[in-house]
Structure formats: structure tokens, C-alpha cells
Amino acid sequence: MLRNHKKIPEPTIERLPLYSRPLEELLKAEVPVVSSDTLAKLCGVNPAQVRKDLAYFGEFGVRGVGYEVASLLKEIKKILGTDRKWRLCLVGFGNLGSALFENHNFRRRGYTFVAVFDSDPAKIGRILENGIVVEHPKKIKEAVPRLHIQIGVIATPPFKAQRVAEMLFSAGVRAVLNFAPIQIRKPECCVVENVDFTISLENLAYHLAKLH
Amino acid sequence: MLRNHKKIPEPTIERLPLYSRPLEELLKAEVPVVSSDTLAKLCGVNPAQVRKDLAYFGEFGVRGVGYEVASLLKEIKKILGTDRKWRLCLVGFGNLGSALFENHNFRRRGYTFVAVFDSDPAKIGRILENGIVVEHPKKIKEAVPRLHIQIGVIATPPFKAQRVAEMLFSAGVRAVLNFAPIQIRKPECCVVENVDFTISLENLAYHLAKLH
DNA sequence: GCCTGTGAATCCATTCACAGCT
DNA sequence: AGCTGTGAATGGATTCACAGGC
């Protein structure tokens, strides 16, 4: 990464995936070049924002012209690490878990589940796509290094989530995507992203209630 | 709502659900009173933040003592509209859609699905819990007013999401929870919340890649 | 002494506006 | 002329620090 001396704001990182989606469309449509103005419109943000965000990482654009679509997309993917493959494990194979496991968006973007854990005896031993077998979470410790698992996805009931997270961390996983509606305590060195539908719903409800 | 003259920052709204979860725990544990300090620790935020957030809506605390757990929780629920019931419809009954439909967290928090739409003929007519029948999305227009649907949940493939959103809006839905990884264009009067797993994953990947 | 509520200070992100390159 | 890259200005949100009440 080019300019790590200037610290990059978290919101910038969160917008990069936003930029990459319309860029993929433009690439497909064989549009060679895009200006910060049109890209901004496609993403619903301010053009100066787009320029500033991209400038954190290098000078990708050409003054008077714009950004070359293909190379910009490649740069963004490099920054986000989307050019690599990532190996995930899933803990919790309930409704949500299995929906995530079967979700094509993940694989398409380079995120592959290589292990699945669930403590329900009725599920243990079940054979899924790619020969993955549902195993008891106590196997996490051993599986993480063996399968080079880099990211853990937690889709368990909330009261089990903290325990599972600790198992993942102590097995060497440094990044966790948490779908359980609780606040996970984590070691300094690790990253946790929370996805909580009900927070979004409560947000909607608040705004609806306010609209009268 | 008590103090609407001061505009309430969006981040404050997003933190209220965060506060409510530990409060529910404390209520169950019959802890009568909580200080901004301990609540802050439970949520991983700054204590002053907690006080300021709550103070936007009234003087809920007692100086020298703290906040009464039960009444604070009740107030937060009132603010968020979580004390009411909300009626949702689901569009897109694939893996993710059915996981959402069967998710207990929703119902427990007062969000009930009252209709399900999918354009797949193999799914139309299927009878789900509570006698809900999967219908073609063209029925949205008619169903929204009849069933008093307030919130639409989109779990379709991305290329259908915009069209579905427009059908929902024109049928009178003012709030949409969107799981498709696209930017939805919406009328001024409506609210959209996006839930995009892959953004979270790309975020994790970025931070992992940075950790060396 | 303890803890809330809140102005003031700080920090951070967004937007503006223009210099500089093509 | 067109569009990027960026310092400066603006606008918000977070945190500090303390006055005020229990």
C-alpha cells in the first residue's frame, strides 16, 4: 500500500467496496474512463469525496481526463485484499448459517468456506458442498491451522457467540464476522465486524415513527 | 419524543439499540440501577457518549445514582418505536429470505412478516408459518395497503432489487431493509437501510492484509 | 463522594475551491 | 477547457471537564 504514513480514515475504507460495484458494471459495459463526478453520482456520494478517498492510496487519475476504469478497479481490489482468496469457517449452521454457506456472492468475491461447525448432534457429520463435513466446535482449535482459516463467521445464538469467538481467537483467527446481536470482546490484535439486522430495523422504525 | 427542537445525530440513534441489549440483560439479572460508566463498558463506548445520547431525549438519570434500568429500557424502546408492533413483507424467498423469515429475533422484537413474495413459480403458492402464502411480486401493490405493511425487506438478487424497491415505494411502503448489494435510489420521503455482508468482509480483509 | 447533564474543547470527516497537469 | 489532487474551511460528533444535585 502506497501511502501508509497518512492514516486512512475508516469511512474511506468502507466506501471503497461501494465504488468497486459500479466500476464492475462500467468494466462490463466497456466504458474505458470515468470521472470522479460520474462515479460519485453512481454511488450517491460527493465527487470531492471520491477524489480524496482515492488519493489516499496514490495518484490513480489523470488530470483533465479521469480514472481508467480497469486499472482503478484493480487498484481498489488490491487495497481491499479482494484480489486474494480468503478462507473462512462458519460456526452455527442454522437457518442463517446455511443461507450464508450457500450464498454465491461470497465465493464470487473470493471468500470460500472451508469448514463448518455446529454443536447440534443432528447436524454433526452432515456432508455439504465440496465435501465439507459439519463438525463439533471443539474441533476449531485443530482445524484453523490445518485448513489455514483466516476469517471466522459466527452465526450462532447470541449466548454462545462470545465463547465461540474466544475459541476462534485462541485458535489463531484474527478476523471475525459476527451475526449474533451481542458485543464481542476481543483481543487488541483482532478485528470484529458486526452485522445486526435488528439494529437496522430499529433504525427504520425510528425514522418511520418520526415521519408521523 | 421530548426534545425534538434539538436535532438528534444519526449516530446517536444507531447506538440506542446497542444500549438496549445490555439493559435487557441487566433487567433479567434484576439489577435495579446502572451508571453511564458501567453501561458504557458493556457497550464498548465512552461514558460521556452514553450520557449525551440519553440526554437528547430527556433527563432519565438521577445525579449521584445512575439510571433506573427498567424505566431507561422502556424509554429507549419508546424512542425507537420498539414498543410497537411493525408489519413487514419479505421479497425474495431464497436461502437468505427464508432464513430471515424464520429468524426468531425479528418476531421477539416486534417485527412480524405478514406477506412473502417471490417470482419463482416453484415457490408461488407454498404455504408457510401462520398461513402466509408465497405470492408473485405483482401482488405487492394490492397487499401493502390491505395488510398494513410498513416495512419491506428485500432479499432478491441484486439486479431485481431496484425494481422491487420501486414497487414497494409506489405501493406506499416508506421504509426498506435491503440485503441486495446495490445502491437503491429512493424518493425523499422514504428510508432505506442497507445490509451488505460483503462490505463487512472486505473491511475485514483490508484490516487483515494490513496486520502484515 | 458519586454520578448526571452539558458547555467548551478537541477531534475527525466532508465539502469547498482552486492550483496544476493534460 | 476539463478533471484531478489537495490545502483550507466548514460542519459534526466525540470527549473533556466541571457545575449541579443526590
PDB file of all heavy atoms in Angstrom, chain C residues 3-16:
ATOM      1  P    DC C   3     -20.621   6.290  41.099  1.00  0.00           P
ATOM      2  OP1  DC C   3     -21.133   4.915  41.072  1.00  0.00           O
ATOM      3  OP2  DC C   3     -19.247   6.603  40.668  1.00  0.00           O
ATOM      4  O5'  DC C   3     -21.584   7.208  40.263  1.00  0.00           O
ATOM      5  C5'  DC C   3     -22.976   7.187  40.526  1.00  0.00           C
ATOM      6  C4'  DC C   3     -23.586   8.280  39.695  1.00  0.00           C
ATOM      7  O4'  DC C   3     -23.129   9.548  40.183  1.00  0.00           O
ATOM      8  C3'  DC C   3     -23.176   8.209  38.222  1.00  0.00           C
ATOM      9  O3'  DC C   3     -24.327   8.333  37.427  1.00  0.00           O
ATOM     10  C2'  DC C   3     -22.243   9.385  38.061  1.00  0.00           C
ATOM     11  C1'  DC C   3     -22.823  10.360  39.077  1.00  0.00           C
ATOM     12  N1   DC C   3     -21.903  11.435  39.512  1.00  0.00           N
ATOM     13  C2   DC C   3     -22.393  12.732  39.656  1.00  0.00           C
ATOM     14  O2   DC C   3     -23.589  12.951  39.447  1.00  0.00           O
ATOM     15  N3   DC C   3     -21.546  13.721  40.023  1.00  0.00           N
ATOM     16  C4   DC C   3     -20.257  13.445  40.241  1.00  0.00           C
ATOM     17  N4   DC C   3     -19.465  14.461  40.612  1.00  0.00           N
ATOM     18  C5   DC C   3     -19.732  12.129  40.107  1.00  0.00           C
ATOM     19  C6   DC C   3     -20.583  11.158  39.739  1.00  0.00           C
ATOM     20  P    DT C   4     -24.276   8.312  35.826  1.00  0.00           P
ATOM     21  OP1  DT C   4     -24.970   7.073  35.453  1.00  0.00           O
ATOM     22  OP2  DT C   4     -22.921   8.595  35.318  1.00  0.00           O
ATOM     23  O5'  DT C   4     -25.197   9.555  35.477  1.00  0.00           O
ATOM     24  C5'  DT C   4     -26.467   9.666  36.075  1.00  0.00           C
ATOM     25  C4'  DT C   4     -26.934  11.108  36.012  1.00  0.00           C
ATOM     26  O4'  DT C   4     -25.929  11.956  36.614  1.00  0.00           O
ATOM     27  C3'  DT C   4     -27.161  11.636  34.602  1.00  0.00           C
ATOM     28  O3'  DT C   4     -28.421  12.294  34.565  1.00  0.00           O
ATOM     29  C2'  DT C   4     -26.005  12.598  34.353  1.00  0.00           C
ATOM     30  C1'  DT C   4     -25.609  13.034  35.760  1.00  0.00           C
ATOM     31  N1   DT C   4     -24.162  13.342  35.948  1.00  0.00           N
ATOM     32  C2   DT C   4     -23.796  14.624  36.277  1.00  0.00           C
ATOM     33  O2   DT C   4     -24.597  15.533  36.410  1.00  0.00           O
ATOM     34  N3   DT C   4     -22.434  14.805  36.450  1.00  0.00           N
ATOM     35  C4   DT C   4     -21.438  13.858  36.327  1.00  0.00           C
ATOM     36  O4   DT C   4     -20.260  14.137  36.508  1.00  0.00           O
ATOM     37  C5   DT C   4     -21.894  12.536  35.975  1.00  0.00           C
ATOM     38  C7   DT C   4     -20.904  11.435  35.815  1.00  0.00           C
ATOM     39  C6   DT C   4     -23.220  12.336  35.803  1.00  0.00           C
ATOM     40  P    DG C   5     -29.080  12.659  33.105  1.00  0.00           P
ATOM     41  OP1  DG C   5     -30.542  12.733  33.271  1.00  0.00           O
ATOM     42  OP2  DG C   5     -28.481  11.785  32.085  1.00  0.00           O
ATOM     43  O5'  DG C   5     -28.518  14.132  32.872  1.00  0.00           O
ATOM     44  C5'  DG C   5     -29.023  15.186  33.655  1.00  0.00           C
ATOM     45  C4'  DG C   5     -28.364  16.484  33.230  1.00  0.00           C
ATOM     46  O4'  DG C   5     -26.948  16.420  33.533  1.00  0.00           O
ATOM     47  C3'  DG C   5     -28.463  16.803  31.741  1.00  0.00           C
ATOM     48  O3'  DG C   5     -28.698  18.207  31.651  1.00  0.00           O
ATOM     49  C2'  DG C   5     -27.091  16.420  31.207  1.00  0.00           C
ATOM     50  C1'  DG C   5     -26.193  16.766  32.387  1.00  0.00           C
ATOM     51  N9   DG C   5     -24.950  16.015  32.491  1.00  0.00           N
ATOM     52  C8   DG C   5     -24.773  14.661  32.287  1.00  0.00           C
ATOM     53  N7   DG C   5     -23.540  14.275  32.493  1.00  0.00           N
ATOM     54  C5   DG C   5     -22.866  15.433  32.852  1.00  0.00           C
ATOM     55  C6   DG C   5     -21.503  15.632  33.178  1.00  0.00           C
ATOM     56  O6   DG C   5     -20.592  14.799  33.240  1.00  0.00           O
ATOM     57  N1   DG C   5     -21.227  16.985  33.482  1.00  0.00           N
ATOM     58  C2   DG C   5     -22.164  17.990  33.459  1.00  0.00           C
ATOM     59  N2   DG C   5     -21.721  19.205  33.768  1.00  0.00           N
ATOM     60  N3   DG C   5     -23.443  17.816  33.146  1.00  0.00           N
ATOM     61  C4   DG C   5     -23.718  16.520  32.855  1.00  0.00           C
ATOM     62  P    DT C   6     -28.897  18.917  30.257  1.00  0.00           P
ATOM     63  OP1  DT C   6     -29.877  20.000  30.459  1.00  0.00           O
ATOM     64  OP2  DT C   6     -29.097  17.886  29.217  1.00  0.00           O
ATOM     65  O5'  DT C   6     -27.468  19.578  30.035  1.00  0.00           O
ATOM     66  C5'  DT C   6     -27.063  20.707  30.788  1.00  0.00           C
ATOM     67  C4'  DT C   6     -25.698  21.135  30.289  1.00  0.00           C
ATOM     68  O4'  DT C   6     -24.720  20.118  30.608  1.00  0.00           O
ATOM     69  C3'  DT C   6     -25.604  21.330  28.781  1.00  0.00           C
ATOM     70  O3'  DT C   6     -24.876  22.513  28.529  1.00  0.00           O
ATOM     71  C2'  DT C   6     -24.805  20.139  28.307  1.00  0.00           C
ATOM     72  C1'  DT C   6     -23.876  19.963  29.499  1.00  0.00           C
ATOM     73  N1   DT C   6     -23.205  18.655  29.590  1.00  0.00           N
ATOM     74  C2   DT C   6     -21.932  18.621  30.088  1.00  0.00           C
ATOM     75  O2   DT C   6     -21.328  19.611  30.462  1.00  0.00           O
ATOM     76  N3   DT C   6     -21.360  17.372  30.133  1.00  0.00           N
ATOM     77  C4   DT C   6     -21.938  16.172  29.743  1.00  0.00           C
ATOM     78  O4   DT C   6     -21.340  15.125  29.835  1.00  0.00           O
ATOM     79  C5   DT C   6     -23.285  16.288  29.236  1.00  0.00           C
ATOM     80  C7   DT C   6     -24.013  15.063  28.777  1.00  0.00           C
ATOM     81  C6   DT C   6     -23.842  17.507  29.178  1.00  0.00           C
ATOM     82  P    DG C   7     -25.642  23.699  27.761  1.00  0.00           P
ATOM     83  OP1  DG C   7     -26.478  24.428  28.723  1.00  0.00           O
ATOM     84  OP2  DG C   7     -26.197  23.125  26.521  1.00  0.00           O
ATOM     85  O5'  DG C   7     -24.400  24.638  27.373  1.00  0.00           O
ATOM     86  C5'  DG C   7     -23.982  25.630  28.276  1.00  0.00           C
ATOM     87  C4'  DG C   7     -22.474  25.570  28.385  1.00  0.00           C
ATOM     88  O4'  DG C   7     -22.066  24.188  28.555  1.00  0.00           O
ATOM     89  C3'  DG C   7     -21.760  26.090  27.138  1.00  0.00           C
ATOM     90  O3'  DG C   7     -20.755  26.998  27.556  1.00  0.00           O
ATOM     91  C2'  DG C   7     -21.187  24.834  26.489  1.00  0.00           C
ATOM     92  C1'  DG C   7     -20.989  23.899  27.688  1.00  0.00           C
ATOM     93  N9   DG C   7     -21.061  22.468  27.379  1.00  0.00           N
ATOM     94  C8   DG C   7     -22.110  21.783  26.812  1.00  0.00           C
ATOM     95  N7   DG C   7     -21.884  20.489  26.685  1.00  0.00           N
ATOM     96  C5   DG C   7     -20.603  20.322  27.202  1.00  0.00           C
ATOM     97  C6   DG C   7     -19.813  19.138  27.331  1.00  0.00           C
ATOM     98  O6   DG C   7     -20.100  17.988  27.013  1.00  0.00           O
ATOM     99  N1   DG C   7     -18.571  19.426  27.903  1.00  0.00           N
ATOM    100  C2   DG C   7     -18.147  20.665  28.292  1.00  0.00           C
ATOM    101  N2   DG C   7     -16.926  20.736  28.821  1.00  0.00           N
ATOM    102  N3   DG C   7     -18.878  21.767  28.184  1.00  0.00           N
ATOM    103  C4   DG C   7     -20.087  21.524  27.633  1.00  0.00           C
ATOM    104  P    DA C   8     -19.786  27.645  26.503  1.00  0.00           P
ATOM    105  OP1  DA C   8     -19.350  28.946  27.051  1.00  0.00           O
ATOM    106  OP2  DA C   8     -20.392  27.540  25.146  1.00  0.00           O
ATOM    107  O5'  DA C   8     -18.572  26.627  26.546  1.00  0.00           O
ATOM    108  C5'  DA C   8     -17.895  26.366  27.774  1.00  0.00           C
ATOM    109  C4'  DA C   8     -16.554  25.739  27.446  1.00  0.00           C
ATOM    110  O4'  DA C   8     -16.765  24.338  27.125  1.00  0.00           O
ATOM    111  C3'  DA C   8     -15.857  26.342  26.230  1.00  0.00           C
ATOM    112  O3'  DA C   8     -14.469  26.386  26.521  1.00  0.00           O
ATOM    113  C2'  DA C   8     -16.237  25.404  25.087  1.00  0.00           C
ATOM    114  C1'  DA C   8     -16.321  24.055  25.816  1.00  0.00           C
ATOM    115  N9   DA C   8     -17.262  23.083  25.252  1.00  0.00           N
ATOM    116  C8   DA C   8     -18.505  23.330  24.715  1.00  0.00           C
ATOM    117  N7   DA C   8     -19.128  22.236  24.307  1.00  0.00           N
ATOM    118  C5   DA C   8     -18.229  21.215  24.596  1.00  0.00           C
ATOM    119  C6   DA C   8     -18.292  19.826  24.414  1.00  0.00           C
ATOM    120  N6   DA C   8     -19.333  19.182  23.873  1.00  0.00           N
ATOM    121  N1   DA C   8     -17.227  19.093  24.817  1.00  0.00           N
ATOM    122  C2   DA C   8     -16.186  19.718  25.368  1.00  0.00           C
ATOM    123  N3   DA C   8     -16.007  21.023  25.596  1.00  0.00           N
ATOM    124  C4   DA C   8     -17.082  21.718  25.186  1.00  0.00           C
ATOM    125  P    DA C   9     -13.368  26.524  25.385  1.00  0.00           P
ATOM    126  OP1  DA C   9     -12.179  27.158  25.994  1.00  0.00           O
ATOM    127  OP2  DA C   9     -14.019  27.112  24.193  1.00  0.00           O
ATOM    128  O5'  DA C   9     -12.989  25.019  25.087  1.00  0.00           O
ATOM    129  C5'  DA C   9     -12.319  24.253  26.095  1.00  0.00           C
ATOM    130  C4'  DA C   9     -11.733  23.010  25.458  1.00  0.00           C
ATOM    131  O4'  DA C   9     -12.797  22.201  24.919  1.00  0.00           O
ATOM    132  C3'  DA C   9     -10.785  23.278  24.286  1.00  0.00           C
ATOM    133  O3'  DA C   9      -9.707  22.355  24.381  1.00  0.00           O
ATOM    134  C2'  DA C   9     -11.673  23.061  23.055  1.00  0.00           C
ATOM    135  C1'  DA C   9     -12.581  21.946  23.541  1.00  0.00           C
ATOM    136  N9   DA C   9     -13.888  21.882  22.911  1.00  0.00           N
ATOM    137  C8   DA C   9     -14.695  22.932  22.542  1.00  0.00           C
ATOM    138  N7   DA C   9     -15.834  22.558  22.004  1.00  0.00           N
ATOM    139  C5   DA C   9     -15.777  21.177  22.036  1.00  0.00           C
ATOM    140  C6   DA C   9     -16.681  20.181  21.614  1.00  0.00           C
ATOM    141  N6   DA C   9     -17.859  20.446  21.061  1.00  0.00           N
ATOM    142  N1   DA C   9     -16.305  18.898  21.789  1.00  0.00           N
ATOM    143  C2   DA C   9     -15.116  18.625  22.343  1.00  0.00           C
ATOM    144  N3   DA C   9     -14.194  19.473  22.780  1.00  0.00           N
ATOM    145  C4   DA C   9     -14.584  20.747  22.594  1.00  0.00           C
ATOM    146  P    DT C  10      -8.589  22.378  23.239  1.00  0.00           P
ATOM    147  OP1  DT C  10      -7.273  22.262  23.906  1.00  0.00           O
ATOM    148  OP2  DT C  10      -8.888  23.475  22.288  1.00  0.00           O
ATOM    149  O5'  DT C  10      -8.867  20.999  22.514  1.00  0.00           O
ATOM    150  C5'  DT C  10      -9.080  19.811  23.308  1.00  0.00           C
ATOM    151  C4'  DT C  10      -9.548  18.722  22.374  1.00  0.00           C
ATOM    152  O4'  DT C  10     -10.873  19.025  21.898  1.00  0.00           O
ATOM    153  C3'  DT C  10      -8.677  18.551  21.134  1.00  0.00           C
ATOM    154  O3'  DT C  10      -8.190  17.218  21.154  1.00  0.00           O
ATOM    155  C2'  DT C  10      -9.606  18.862  19.960  1.00  0.00           C
ATOM    156  C1'  DT C  10     -10.987  18.599  20.565  1.00  0.00           C
ATOM    157  N1   DT C  10     -12.119  19.352  19.977  1.00  0.00           N
ATOM    158  C2   DT C  10     -13.258  18.672  19.621  1.00  0.00           C
ATOM    159  O2   DT C  10     -13.383  17.471  19.749  1.00  0.00           O
ATOM    160  N3   DT C  10     -14.270  19.454  19.104  1.00  0.00           N
ATOM    161  C4   DT C  10     -14.239  20.829  18.909  1.00  0.00           C
ATOM    162  O4   DT C  10     -15.195  21.410  18.439  1.00  0.00           O
ATOM    163  C5   DT C  10     -13.013  21.474  19.304  1.00  0.00           C
ATOM    164  C7   DT C  10     -12.882  22.960  19.144  1.00  0.00           C
ATOM    165  C6   DT C  10     -12.017  20.718  19.812  1.00  0.00           C
ATOM    166  P    DC C  11      -7.068  16.733  20.159  1.00  0.00           P
ATOM    167  OP1  DC C  11      -6.132  15.858  20.889  1.00  0.00           O
ATOM    168  OP2  DC C  11      -6.586  17.887  19.356  1.00  0.00           O
ATOM    169  O5'  DC C  11      -7.948  15.809  19.220  1.00  0.00           O
ATOM    170  C5'  DC C  11      -8.923  14.932  19.799  1.00  0.00           C
ATOM    171  C4'  DC C  11      -9.856  14.492  18.696  1.00  0.00           C
ATOM    172  O4'  DC C  11     -10.782  15.553  18.388  1.00  0.00           O
ATOM    173  C3'  DC C  11      -9.127  14.158  17.392  1.00  0.00           C
ATOM    174  O3'  DC C  11      -9.406  12.816  17.074  1.00  0.00           O
ATOM    175  C2'  DC C  11      -9.674  15.164  16.379  1.00  0.00           C
ATOM    176  C1'  DC C  11     -11.008  15.557  17.003  1.00  0.00           C
ATOM    177  N1   DC C  11     -11.508  16.921  16.658  1.00  0.00           N
ATOM    178  C2   DC C  11     -12.851  17.081  16.316  1.00  0.00           C
ATOM    179  O2   DC C  11     -13.596  16.082  16.302  1.00  0.00           O
ATOM    180  N3   DC C  11     -13.320  18.311  16.015  1.00  0.00           N
ATOM    181  C4   DC C  11     -12.496  19.359  16.045  1.00  0.00           C
ATOM    182  N4   DC C  11     -13.013  20.557  15.750  1.00  0.00           N
ATOM    183  C5   DC C  11     -11.125  19.220  16.393  1.00  0.00           C
ATOM    184  C6   DC C  11     -10.664  17.990  16.692  1.00  0.00           C
ATOM    185  P    DC C  12      -8.669  12.093  15.895  1.00  0.00           P
ATOM    186  OP1  DC C  12      -8.411  10.689  16.288  1.00  0.00           O
ATOM    187  OP2  DC C  12      -7.573  12.971  15.417  1.00  0.00           O
ATOM    188  O5'  DC C  12      -9.794  12.090  14.782  1.00  0.00           O
ATOM    189  C5'  DC C  12     -11.123  11.697  15.128  1.00  0.00           C
ATOM    190  C4'  DC C  12     -12.012  12.009  13.947  1.00  0.00           C
ATOM    191  O4'  DC C  12     -12.359  13.409  13.942  1.00  0.00           O
ATOM    192  C3'  DC C  12     -11.375  11.713  12.592  1.00  0.00           C
ATOM    193  O3'  DC C  12     -12.203  10.806  11.923  1.00  0.00           O
ATOM    194  C2'  DC C  12     -11.265  13.095  11.929  1.00  0.00           C
ATOM    195  C1'  DC C  12     -12.389  13.863  12.612  1.00  0.00           C
ATOM    196  N1   DC C  12     -12.256  15.335  12.669  1.00  0.00           N
ATOM    197  C2   DC C  12     -13.364  16.122  12.336  1.00  0.00           C
ATOM    198  O2   DC C  12     -14.420  15.581  12.006  1.00  0.00           O
ATOM    199  N3   DC C  12     -13.254  17.467  12.395  1.00  0.00           N
ATOM    200  C4   DC C  12     -12.098  18.023  12.765  1.00  0.00           C
ATOM    201  N4   DC C  12     -12.038  19.360  12.816  1.00  0.00           N
ATOM    202  C5   DC C  12     -10.955  17.245  13.105  1.00  0.00           C
ATOM    203  C6   DC C  12     -11.077  15.904  13.041  1.00  0.00           C
ATOM    204  P    DA C  13     -11.869  10.267  10.496  1.00  0.00           P
ATOM    205  OP1  DA C  13     -12.094   8.819  10.509  1.00  0.00           O
ATOM    206  OP2  DA C  13     -10.577  10.846  10.075  1.00  0.00           O
ATOM    207  O5'  DA C  13     -13.025  10.950   9.643  1.00  0.00           O
ATOM    208  C5'  DA C  13     -14.353  10.891  10.122  1.00  0.00           C
ATOM    209  C4'  DA C  13     -15.227  11.739   9.249  1.00  0.00           C
ATOM    210  O4'  DA C  13     -14.902  13.132   9.458  1.00  0.00           O
ATOM    211  C3'  DA C  13     -15.068  11.478   7.757  1.00  0.00           C
ATOM    212  O3'  DA C  13     -16.369  11.428   7.191  1.00  0.00           O
ATOM    213  C2'  DA C  13     -14.238  12.654   7.265  1.00  0.00           C
ATOM    214  C1'  DA C  13     -14.672  13.768   8.219  1.00  0.00           C
ATOM    215  N9   DA C  13     -13.689  14.810   8.483  1.00  0.00           N
ATOM    216  C8   DA C  13     -12.368  14.667   8.788  1.00  0.00           C
ATOM    217  N7   DA C  13     -11.729  15.795   8.993  1.00  0.00           N
ATOM    218  C5   DA C  13     -12.718  16.756   8.809  1.00  0.00           C
ATOM    219  C6   DA C  13     -12.684  18.151   8.880  1.00  0.00           C
ATOM    220  N6   DA C  13     -11.588  18.858   9.173  1.00  0.00           N
ATOM    221  N1   DA C  13     -13.845  18.814   8.642  1.00  0.00           N
ATOM    222  C2   DA C  13     -14.946  18.101   8.351  1.00  0.00           C
ATOM    223  N3   DA C  13     -15.093  16.785   8.255  1.00  0.00           N
ATOM    224  C4   DA C  13     -13.922  16.160   8.498  1.00  0.00           C
ATOM    225  P    DT C  14     -16.514  11.144   5.635  1.00  0.00           P
ATOM    226  OP1  DT C  14     -17.571  10.116   5.545  1.00  0.00           O
ATOM    227  OP2  DT C  14     -15.184  10.936   5.028  1.00  0.00           O
ATOM    228  O5'  DT C  14     -17.099  12.510   5.074  1.00  0.00           O
ATOM    229  C5'  DT C  14     -18.122  13.174   5.801  1.00  0.00           C
ATOM    230  C4'  DT C  14     -18.306  14.565   5.242  1.00  0.00           C
ATOM    231  O4'  DT C  14     -17.161  15.383   5.588  1.00  0.00           O
ATOM    232  C3'  DT C  14     -18.431  14.636   3.719  1.00  0.00           C
ATOM    233  O3'  DT C  14     -19.625  15.365   3.443  1.00  0.00           O
ATOM    234  C2'  DT C  14     -17.154  15.346   3.268  1.00  0.00           C
ATOM    235  C1'  DT C  14     -16.817  16.185   4.490  1.00  0.00           C
ATOM    236  N1   DT C  14     -15.394  16.553   4.713  1.00  0.00           N
ATOM    237  C2   DT C  14     -15.085  17.873   4.941  1.00  0.00           C
ATOM    238  O2   DT C  14     -15.926  18.767   4.943  1.00  0.00           O
ATOM    239  N3   DT C  14     -13.752  18.127   5.168  1.00  0.00           N
ATOM    240  C4   DT C  14     -12.721  17.197   5.199  1.00  0.00           C
ATOM    241  O4   DT C  14     -11.570  17.541   5.418  1.00  0.00           O
ATOM    242  C5   DT C  14     -13.120  15.826   4.956  1.00  0.00           C
ATOM    243  C7   DT C  14     -12.083  14.747   4.973  1.00  0.00           C
ATOM    244  C6   DT C  14     -14.414  15.577   4.727  1.00  0.00           C
ATOM    245  P    DT C  15     -20.139  15.526   1.951  1.00  0.00           P
ATOM    246  OP1  DT C  15     -21.616  15.558   2.013  1.00  0.00           O
ATOM    247  OP2  DT C  15     -19.412  14.562   1.114  1.00  0.00           O
ATOM    248  O5'  DT C  15     -19.642  16.984   1.564  1.00  0.00           O
ATOM    249  C5'  DT C  15     -20.034  18.093   2.360  1.00  0.00           C
ATOM    250  C4'  DT C  15     -19.231  19.292   1.931  1.00  0.00           C
ATOM    251  O4'  DT C  15     -17.850  19.106   2.299  1.00  0.00           O
ATOM    252  C3'  DT C  15     -19.238  19.556   0.421  1.00  0.00           C
ATOM    253  O3'  DT C  15     -19.892  20.803   0.222  1.00  0.00           O
ATOM    254  C2'  DT C  15     -17.764  19.541   0.017  1.00  0.00           C
ATOM    255  C1'  DT C  15     -17.053  19.767   1.347  1.00  0.00           C
ATOM    256  N1   DT C  15     -15.689  19.197   1.484  1.00  0.00           N
ATOM    257  C2   DT C  15     -14.653  20.011   1.876  1.00  0.00           C
ATOM    258  O2   DT C  15     -14.801  21.197   2.101  1.00  0.00           O
ATOM    259  N3   DT C  15     -13.435  19.381   1.987  1.00  0.00           N
ATOM    260  C4   DT C  15     -13.154  18.040   1.758  1.00  0.00           C
ATOM    261  O4   DT C  15     -12.021  17.597   1.893  1.00  0.00           O
ATOM    262  C5   DT C  15     -14.282  17.240   1.345  1.00  0.00           C
ATOM    263  C7   DT C  15     -14.093  15.788   1.072  1.00  0.00           C
ATOM    264  C6   DT C  15     -15.481  17.847   1.233  1.00  0.00           C
ATOM    265  P    DC C  16     -19.931  21.470  -1.247  1.00  0.00           P
ATOM    266  OP1  DC C  16     -21.199  22.220  -1.304  1.00  0.00           O
ATOM    267  OP2  DC C  16     -19.606  20.452  -2.252  1.00  0.00           O
ATOM    268  O5'  DC C  16     -18.730  22.522  -1.177  1.00  0.00           O
ATOM    269  C5'  DC C  16     -18.551  23.258   0.026  1.00  0.00           C
ATOM    270  C4'  DC C  16     -17.389  24.223  -0.125  1.00  0.00           C
ATOM    271  O4'  DC C  16     -16.132  23.537   0.095  1.00  0.00           O
ATOM    272  C3'  DC C  16     -17.280  24.882  -1.493  1.00  0.00           C
ATOM    273  O3'  DC C  16     -16.919  26.233  -1.251  1.00  0.00           O
ATOM    274  C2'  DC C  16     -16.165  24.090  -2.180  1.00  0.00           C
ATOM    275  C1'  DC C  16     -15.262  23.768  -0.990  1.00  0.00           C
ATOM    276  N1   DC C  16     -14.427  22.555  -1.100  1.00  0.00           N
ATOM    277  C2   DC C  16     -13.062  22.617  -0.766  1.00  0.00           C
ATOM    278  O2   DC C  16     -12.577  23.693  -0.399  1.00  0.00           O
ATOM    279  N3   DC C  16     -12.310  21.494  -0.857  1.00  0.00           N
ATOM    280  C4   DC C  16     -12.874  20.343  -1.246  1.00  0.00           C
ATOM    281  N4   DC C  16     -12.101  19.258  -1.312  1.00  0.00           N
ATOM    282  C5   DC C  16     -14.270  20.261  -1.585  1.00  0.00           C
ATOM    283  C6   DC C  16     -15.005  21.376  -1.504  1.00  0.00           C
TER     284       DC C  16
END
